[in-house]
Amino acid sequence: MVTYTSAAMQRVSGFTTRLGAVLAAAAIVLGVLLSGCNTDPENASEVIEGQPIKLGDLLYNVQITRILNPDDPEDKAYLVGQQPPSSDEYYLGVFMRVINEGSSSAQVASDFKVVDTVGDTFDPIPSKSLFALKLGDTIHGGDELPELESTAANGPIEGSMVLFRIDAAAIQDRPLTLEIPSSDGSTGEVELDI
């Protein structure tokens, strides 16, 4: 019969605990690698909200998307100058950062589109909000939008907003996709999380 001393048992127990932790960490890393999520913005043409997508020299990153409520005090700042939506419409704010990773100026997309699963499309609407992304604006090499120290950069979301008016059916026909056209003719797609 083999008897183990208390110290030997503790060494075996400690080794088993460390081995379990290492195996668990390896399983997590392997799971991420095999999940199929493309987190490389250089090669992605379709991403989910929160992942960057590079189109030309511009890196777009949708930070958050949400339905805006005209009666909410915070949302009123996003909806400056907008009429109340009809009973079957909603305002959708898509908040993002845009970085020009190139050395020369580039133009931010002006014709974003939100598309639902049945193919209905929604165009951005003009906005007078200080949080609004200026569609088609020029961004110099190395710069980003929103500009540092701007209202949008210092706001609660720290991103510029593209505003859409969508209908109630689109809320049911999710996921919604934001299409971002590039100057080279390609289109990037971001699956929105609402």
Side-chain angles (χ1 to χ4, degrees):
M1 177 171 176
V2 178
T3 59
Y4 294 99
T5 65
S6 177
M9 294 286 286
Q10 286 176 348
R11 282 194 302 272
V12 170
S13 176
F15 174 78
T16 305
T17 302
R18 285 190 300 276
L19 179 61
V22 168
L23 290 175
I28 290 170
V29 170
L30 185 59
V32 169
L33 292 174
L34 296 177
S35 68
C37 292
N38 186 352
T39 57
D40 179 9
E42 297 287 337
N43 300 318
S45 62
E46 298 177 17
V47 297
I48 60 172
E49 185 172 308
Q51 293 178 335
I53 186 167
K54 190 166 183 183
L55 300 167
D57 285 334
L58 297 182
L59 187 70
Y60 293 86
N61 192 343
V62 175
Q63 298 165 282
I64 190 170
T65 303
R66 65 185 188 83
I67 300 296
L68 300 174
N69 179 354
D71 296 324
D72 181 89
E74 178 186 337
D75 289 358
K76 285 182 180 184
Y78 303 133
L79 297 172
V80 170
Q82 301 299 330
Q83 298 296 317
S86 66
S87 61
D88 65 339
E89 290 183 322
Y90 297 93
Y91 284 114
L92 179 70
V94 179
F95 295 84
M96 67 180 72
R97 296 187 77 80
V98 184
I99 301 171
N100 184 347
E101 295 190 326
S103 57
S104 58
S105 296
Q107 194 171 12
V108 174
S110 60
D111 47 353
F112 293 90
K113 293 197 181 313
V114 168
V115 182
D116 66 17
T117 57
V118 296
D120 293 330
T121 61
F122 304 92
D123 296 320
I125 59 175
S127 175
K128 296 178 182 177
S129 172
L130 294 175
F131 295 92
L133 179 68
K134 293 181 178 124
L135 304 178
D137 201 9
T138 299
I139 181 170
H140 301 291
D143 285 350
E144 65 181 80
L145 296 174
E147 294 175 354
L148 298 176
E149 301 306 319
S150 67
T151 301
N154 290 319
I157 299 174
E158 300 178 356
S160 293
M161 175 192 66
V162 180
L163 185 62
F164 296 87
R165 187 181 297 122
I166 63 173
D167 59 37
I171 299 295
Q172 302 303 317
D173 298 327
R174 292 178 294 177
L176 300 179
T177 300
L178 177 70
E179 293 183 351
I180 307 171
S182 175
S183 58
D184 67 5
S186 64
T187 300
E189 297 184 358
V190 180
E191 183 177 311
L192 302 176
D193 182 21
I194 64 161

